[in-house]
Structures are given as C-alpha cells and as structure tokens.
Amino acid sequence: MEEPIRMVDLRRQYQKIASEISARWNGILDRTDFIQGQDVRLFTAHLADYLSVKHVIPCGNGTDALQAAMMALGLQPGDEVITADFTFAATAEVIALLRLTPVLVDVSPDTFNLDPAAVERAITPRTKAIVPVHLFGQCAPMREILDIAHRHGLYVIEDACQAMGADYIFPDGRRCKAGTMGEIGCTSFFPSKNLGCYGDGGALFTQDDRLAEKLRQVVNHGMKVRYRHDEIGCNSRLDTLQAAVLDVKLPHLDDYNAARRRAAGFYDRVLAGCALLKTPARAAYSTHIFHQYTVRLDETVDRTALQTALNEAGIPAMIYYPVPLHLQKAYRDDRYRDGDFPVCERLSRTVLSLPMHTELDEEQLHYITENLLRSVETCRK
C-alpha cells in the first residue's frame, strides 16, 4: 500500500482542498479579522441553511456548547440531567461542573444510543433535562425521547458531536438533521469529526429566538451590549481561521459522509459471515454517517490480543469506550453499582472501532478485513 492506514486520514483529505484553505486563510491574514471575522458569519449562515435551523451560535468546542446550553436554559445546582452511561465523559462532565446532578442510564445493545424505557424510569421530580447523545454517527430515538420530554415538561439538549449530517426520520416521513430537534443542539468541530476544523471549534443550534439571544450572551461573557454584563457567562468563540476551514469543508460534508457509508458497506459485506463479531446496527429511524465503525466482539475473543495483533499489522483499532461513566472514578456515585448498567458494561468489554474516514480505499479495506478475520480466529480466550 502506498499510504499507511490511519484511524482518521486528515492529511489526504486536506490535500484535496488545500488550495481553497490557503486562499481563505490568506484573506484572513490580509484582513487580520482573527476574531468574529467575516468567515465566521459566512460559515454560521451556511450551516444554518444546511441544517434548516434558524440559529447557529458558534463557540470554542463541543464541551463549551453543552455548558452554554445548560446555562442558557437556567438549570440550577441540584437539578437532574439524564444522559447515556456509554459516551465520552464531556457530556456528564459539564453537568457535574455546573453542580447539576448527572443521572446515567443504560443504552440499546444494538445502536448504543439512549434506551427510552431507561430514560422514563430515571425521571424524578428533580429531573429538568435529557441529553441524548447521537453516538458513532446515528441519531438517538428522538421521537420517543421528545414524547417523554413533552409529557414530563423536560428540556432536550442534543449532543450531536458525532452525527453532523445524519438525518432523523419521523414516522410521517419528515426528516430533521441531528441537533435540530430539541430545545438546543450541540456539536464539536474537533479535527476528527465528520465536519472538523484544524483546531478546536463548536456550535449550538436552536429554532428558538429567545434561546438564541441567550446563548449568544452566554458565550460572550454574559454580554448583550459590550461591557454590560447582564449574566454570568463564559468566553467561548470559534476563531475566524477555523470558521474558514469549516466553510470550505461544509459543501463536501454529504460527500464525506457518503464515502464513510461506502467504507462501512464494504466492512458489512466482508464481515457479515463472521460469528465472532457483530457489525453495527442501523436504526430504521436514522441515517448513519459512521463517525466510528464499531463492531461488537464475542465474549470469547481476547480484545486486547486482537487489538495488539491489528496494531502490529499496521492497522489502528480503538476502543470507545473502555470504561462506562458509572465506573469512572470521577463519576462514582452511591446510587450506582457494578452490574446496574448491563448493556453499557458489556459494550465496554466488547466494542472495537476500525479505521473509518473519507479516504479509505479498497486496497486498505481488503487489508483491514483480511487481517481482522484471520486475527479474530486466533485471539480466542
């Protein structure tokens, strides 16, 4: 192979758009509008059109987006916020940092997304919000989650950091982009995301004019008018250079996601007959844009040995996530015990993510799958 296999190949993706990026960055350097420059305004307008959402509020990263959302909704210390136990820590981290109470719930064994029945069981009089995480590239079951939220008077804050461009399909055929269905949607533009910049970046989405004004205030030190601090806010901005990168990449996003789906289809076809692993499930209600391609290994497979064998063959393979949140030291809670989240705990023992990005070619895919099928047979406990 001419190119090494990477978990995410940003270099080859960049090479295809390098001239566009250079032109946009040179313009910014000439104007020196590094903060709140014209490319920020252009990108947010273009992203709002792409998502069919009224307001896009840029910010510094996806974690800041989640924090700003909870601040703008006026959540108070002690309020309970329900979210998934199987996810990156940032979701629960922000809840805890704001002195809210994270309430963790189990997920579906097929899609790895929130289990609506588990959400319903977790609601108490102190519950104020639900944070569904659209994990690995497909939407959580939003119709059920929105119905639950409506019945109980709860806010829905979508963590869409891994699902930019995925569509949720309602029973009547209506489609909405991930992040546009709850009160507020949040995303990250970390470089490895489906829509990623060349540093840190994030954004919030809302259809609500009042919330949009509040969010803009929160991420700008609590100011509506310069030097007039009406609220306690934070300092979280998407800089102009990163906005330009995102504005160049946004018209390619659907093609990028299609390339990921093609690679996922190859994996599906070749791995379908292997009894020692399960390929990712597709929910009927969501498109899948494969931020990750994550298989579930049979419990008889030594995952550590398999990962080592793949790495030695030049194939990066990652484990997202090796420890569920309720077993993490930072989030240990007397309410939770080992075994309380059987699906999350099983997933944390058995998931393995294969290389997934826009530049995977057939030679690389053949090499990855041939080595995986051979190694998984030899890495039995």
Side-chain angles (χ1 to χ4, degrees):
M1 288 177 292
E2 293 184 7
E3 292 284 339
I5 296 172
R6 299 178 174 90
M7 196 70 190
V8 180
D9 192 340
L10 297 176
R11 188 180 67 85
R12 283 200 293 168
Q13 186 189 74
Y14 163 71
Q15 289 172 340
K16 295 177 180 178
I17 56 174
S19 61
E20 296 175 80
I21 297 292
S22 295
R24 295 288 285 269
W25 277 19
N26 286 337
I28 295 165
L29 294 170
D30 286 340
R31 293 190 302 274
T32 66
D33 60 343
F34 302 117
I35 302 296
Q36 308 286 28
Q38 71 176 32
D39 289 84
V40 177
R41 295 187 292 275
L42 285 170
F43 170 64
T44 54
H46 294 156
L47 185 58
D49 287 343
Y50 175 82
L51 296 172
S52 297
V53 68
K54 286 181 72 176
H55 302 282
V56 171
I57 298 90
C59 64
N61 54 66
T63 306
D64 283 0
L66 289 163
Q67 177 176 319
M70 294 177 200
M71 292 173 69
L73 290 170
L75 302 185
Q76 297 297 313
D79 287 347
E80 293 180 352
V81 179
I82 296 171
T83 194
D85 187 44
F86 186 69
T87 184
F88 184 61
T91 316
E93 179 181 53
V94 167
I95 299 169
L97 280 172
L98 293 174
R99 297 173 58 205
L100 311 172
T101 302
V103 176
L104 305 173
V105 300
D106 218 340
V107 299
S108 161
D110 298 320
T111 66
F112 314 154
N113 276 316
L114 271 182
D115 176 357
V119 171
E120 188 102 51
R121 288 193 299 270
I123 293 172
T124 76
R126 295 183 298 279
T127 307
K128 294 296 187 291
I130 305 169
V131 183
V133 180
H134 302 312
L135 199 71
F136 295 160
Q138 68 180 331
C139 295
M142 288 302 296
R143 180 179 63 83
E144 292 89 341
I145 290 168
L146 291 168
D147 286 348
I148 291 168
H150 179 73
R151 289 200 307 274
H152 294 275
L154 307 176
Y155 297 121
V156 174
I157 303 167
E158 293 177 68
D159 182 338
C161 293
Q162 298 187 16
M164 178 58 63
D167 289 331
Y168 184 85
I169 306 160
F170 286 90
D172 63 2
R174 180 169 55 98
R175 287 176 174 247
C176 291
K177 293 292 185 188
T180 67
M181 294 166 277
E183 274 71 29
I184 301 173
C186 305
T187 200
S188 164
F189 299 125
F190 189 77
S192 63
K193 302 299 186 189
N194 292 47
L195 180 62
C197 54
Y198 296 158
D200 273 318
L204 302 110
F205 322 128
T206 186
Q207 305 283 14
D208 186 300
D209 296 341
R210 181 190 62 81
L211 271 178
E213 182 180 8
K214 190 77 167 179
L215 289 166
R216 291 188 179 96
Q217 183 178 0
V218 167
V219 300
N220 188 33
H221 298 287
M223 295 187 293
K224 290 183 184 177
V225 178
R226 190 169 177 82
Y227 300 126
R228 296 293 185 268
H229 303 273
D230 298 326
E231 304 279 350
I232 294 175
C234 59
N235 176 30
S236 186
R237 291 183 292 238
L238 176 67
D239 75 65
T240 309
L241 290 166
Q242 302 307 332
V245 173
L246 294 165
D247 202 40
V248 169
K249 292 176 79 171
L250 180 59
H252 301 283
L253 178 58
D254 288 342
D255 290 337
Y256 288 163
N257 288 340
R260 288 171 176 266
R261 281 194 291 269
R262 285 193 295 273
F266 185 100
Y267 282 141
D268 286 347
R269 290 189 298 274
V270 177
L271 301 178
C274 181
L276 295 177
L277 60 80
K278 291 185 178 179
T279 56
R282 271 70 153 182
Y285 52 75
S286 178
T287 60
H288 203 319
I289 49 87
F290 291 98
H291 177 60
Q292 304 294 346
Y293 185 93
T294 302
V295 299
R296 288 175 290 160
L297 302 173
D298 188 87
E299 299 252 18
T300 64
V301 176
D302 184 333
R303 182 175 64 177
T304 301
L306 176 59
Q307 185 182 29
T308 299
L310 292 174
N311 289 342
E312 288 175 350
I315 301 167
M318 299 293 291
I319 299 169
Y320 308 108
Y321 301 95
V323 182
L325 291 179
H326 77 281
L327 298 179
Q328 298 277 1
K329 181 179 178 180
Y331 300 101
R332 280 283 188 175
D333 192 298
D334 290 341
R335 293 171 297 167
Y336 307 132
R337 299 284 187 275
D338 292 9
D340 283 353
F341 300 84
V343 176
C344 291
E345 291 176 29
R346 185 167 65 253
L347 291 175
S348 291
R349 292 193 304 269
T350 60
V351 293
L352 187 70
S353 294
L354 303 179
M356 174 52 67
H357 53 79
T358 60
E359 308 306 310
L360 281 167
D361 58 47
E362 194 160 306
E363 182 184 14
Q364 290 177 325
L365 290 165
H366 275 294
Y367 183 80
I368 293 165
T369 51
E370 287 169 2
N371 277 273
L372 175 59
L373 290 172
R374 180 168 57 251
S375 297
V376 75
E377 292 288 349
T378 60
C379 293
R380 307 291 288 275
K381 295 178 183 177

